[in-house]
Amino acid sequence: MNVETVAPRLSILPEKSASRRRRRLSAEAAIKAFFGSNALVAIVVLALITIFLFREGFGFFGQNLANLRLYRRAGLEYVDIMRGQAQAHSALVRALNDVRVRGGGGTTVELDRFATQFSDAGEFLNALVSDAGDQALALREAIAMREGRGGDINRGENDEAPAAASPLNEEQSLAVLQANTAKFAQITLSMGERIRALLNAAPRLSDAKSQASFEKWEKRVRDYLAGLPGAAQRLHEWNPRVPVPWYRSVASFLFGKDWTTASFWQDWYGIIPLLVGSIMVASVALFIAVPFGVFSAIYVSEIAQRGEKSLIKPYIEFISAIPSVVLGFFGIAVVGQAVRTASHLSILHWVPFFPISERLNVFTAGCLLALMAVPTIFTLAEDALRNVPRGFKEASYALGANRLQTIVRILVPASLSGIISAILLGLGRVIGETMVVLLCAGNRIAIPDFTQGLGAFFQPVHTMTGIIAQEMGEVVRGSIHYRALFMVGLVLFVLTLGINYCAQKLVARYRMSIG
């Protein structure tokens, strides 16, 4: 072979290798572009969700501030001072009736007569609150009609403004309303004297437990009577011209304890009862799911035989495929009914808060959410345990440690970051669940009575996800209620995003520790 024939072949080889490099680079660029575009789409979607939540929720605090200012300006705040005392008296009446019902054989005719007279003592106060409430409502409607759309902050974007109303003398209407201060002082003074006379002649119950409950009730009544002069003083000092600061709108949402909508009196949008309900349900779910998920992962990863692994692992992971609405029906028909039935068993009468009357409560919803969280915690915890370097285990056995010591002192500490991240992701799973809590939590918008201790976990609650699912289809677009639900969604979004961020940070720390 001469030089003339070899030279062209040598010149072809660099061209072929260059073309192969170009094809390889183009393939890598295509792969990079494909996955990069998907990552970009995910970022864009997350940004759009955030922008949408802020856009729809924007304006809530301004509308809520107008709502609070109208509440004070129309005198509803003034009436609520009196209404609070009337409601406190009604609560004492209900508490006395509970003492009568639980007294059993200890109840007497004297106690029945005493309860009737105590209830009648608040008759004039209730009548005063009713009359003052009518005056305040009339003033609020007049202000709303006079100011058109700006006064009716509960209407939507597309509703027409009401027609102009007749001239309103706001100062005169408020003067008539505030004239009830003297009436309130006189009525509460007479009411206090009447109740104190009843307490001095209160009957004694034969049953020791009922008598102790009655004495606690008497203490509550005396505290109530001691607070009546303070209520009269607040009425005297109330001034409708004191401006409502802007931060009151934010504080009433973030720290408010009432969520009241479509009320003829006043709407309140406080997230605290919804946040407390969500946290309580998630706490019960994690309390049940964490031991089951983590211990199952340890067993499958380190103890179970091959046949057991092939049986246990698929069945646990299959739970995540069950629709949440099916689990909700199971909670209503089986779990809730079973818990309520068990609370009526004679062997459990020693539990202070048993028997319970509500089958749909925090505990029922938490049990179902725990079932949904177990697969997430189990799968991620098992991965964390399997990723511990094999040398750790072999070194432990070489030093004479048994299997239990190796698991407790070596494997679990080495995979602790991964296990914690699994728990946090399980928390994000349960706190964002909607259908189960909507069906099984009881949907009572109120902070549970924590004076009952663990009994608070057997009371109905409402959650942030549940309130959005329940009320979003009924609200008017652009109304304060509509924007309040989006603010709840924004709080939930930030909360779950923070939980997942913490989980990702722990995963990164875990990978660095084993890397």
Side-chain angles (χ1 to χ4, degrees), residues 324-341 358-361 364-365 368 435-443:
S324 58
V325 67
V326 175
L327 291 176
F329 280 127
F330 178 75
I332 294 175
V334 179
V335 178
Q337 185 63 35
V339 171
R340 185 172 66 176
T341 302
E358 302 285 350
R359 63 188 176 116
L360 304 180
N361 49 53
T364 302
L368 272 299
M435 187 56 65
V436 169
V437 294
L438 188 61
L439 293 176
C440 300
N443 299 339

Side-chain angles (χ1 to χ4, degrees), residues 420-493:
I420 293 176
S421 66
I423 294 172
L424 288 177
L425 288 174
L427 174 61
R429 173 76 173 88
V430 301
I431 206 168
E433 174 57 35
T434 302
M435 187 56 65
V436 169
V437 294
L438 188 61
L439 293 176
C440 300
N443 299 339
R444 177 187 295 171
I445 308 177
I447 299 176
D449 183 9
F450 289 103
T451 60
Q452 295 189 16
L454 293 178
F457 289 93
F458 291 86
Q459 298 176 20
V461 295
H462 219 321
T463 62
M464 293 184 288
T465 54
I467 202 73
I468 295 173
Q470 185 178 28
E471 297 185 354
M472 181 54 75
E474 303 175 357
V475 298
V476 179
R477 182 180 178 86
S479 65
I480 183 174
H481 189 185
Y482 174 84
R483 300 190 187 279
L485 293 177
F486 272 94
M487 289 305 302
V488 174
L490 185 61
V491 171
L492 182 63
F493 177 73

